[in-house]
Amino acid sequence: MEYTHEFDYFVIIDFEGTCGFLKNPRYIKGGIQEIIEFPAILLNGHNGIIEDEFQSFCRPVLNPSLTNFCKNLTGITQDAVDKAPLFKEVYVSFEEWLHQNKVLGSNYSFAVVTDGRNDIQKFLQKQCQISKIDFPMYCEKWINIKKTFACFYKNGNMQCLSLKNMIRDIGREFQGRAHSGIDDVRNIASIVQRLLTVGACVTFNEKLVVNRAKKSKIRPNFTSADSSTQVKIRNLKVLTAKKKAKIKNPAKKIIPAMKVSTKDDVKDDQIKSKKNRKRKAKRRNKKTQVHAKGLKTADNLTNTKQILRNKLKRAAKRVRTLKKRLESALHQEALCSPI
């Protein structure tokens, strides 16, 4: 059965990388995940047949020793990683594999397929920076199979759409081990085959967003003939340098000449100085005031003591009046009570 599609081949990849606790890159050195497994499948876009497979482990540089969580998750052993070549060598052999299958360097069209955006946007982009190799042009656009699956089957919750759920939804069983690169690639290939048979539009739906550096200011290149313009530019530079120097080291303010003071001026100055002294004295008194609980503020300790004495005298008077009232009340009761 032949399918009408815009691509002759689909190159399906699914990288496995170094990771820490709960696949969190924070728990590894540098917080950067390196690719430790590079699997790929070549699927024919016209008949949906798997034509070839590629698989190789990669030796990490930043984190050469794998964490226990990474070993248990991916099933990759430390010995397999230690004996593996570096990513740069694996990448060269991968491109040779593409040339052998007449995918690169031919008139055939192909598209890279992944399960999500992390394989290209996170793993491959950072790994190319670590290995100091150019990012492949054919990976700038790719097919996110989750998006294609969700759009065709109208499943809006793409975040929860895992590889196992997609395999279950097409009525198949997950083959192999989860988070094993080569097994994940085989399962993605079966999803692509199903989408091709159903007539889904399997085309580019993701694009790499490159952080472009800020453009440098273009300055005119003057020749020796334009001597007048060069002189003007130099003069402008000198003026700006002088302005900056003034801002950094401002000149001292010029003091105006002293005015001849008359008798009235002297009197006014004396009055002002007296007022200023009084204000300063009030401020000092406010600072030295002692605040007693429940009492008015006083200027010094002697005044506070006097206020306390007055309070005690008033309290003693009230006690005396209360005693007199009690004595009179008791006397009246004694008179009124029958003998």
Side-chain angles (χ1 to χ4, degrees), residues 14 42 68 107 156 230 242 284 288 306 325:
D14 190 86
L42 186 65
N68 292 325
N107 295 326
Q230 284 182 348
K242 283 180 180 178
R284 285 171 192 165
T288 55
Q306 190 63 39
R325 286 176 185 175

Side-chain angles (χ1 to χ4, degrees), residues 57 130 153 155 311:
F57 294 112
I130 295 162
Y153 288 105
N155 184 358
K311 282 270 184 183

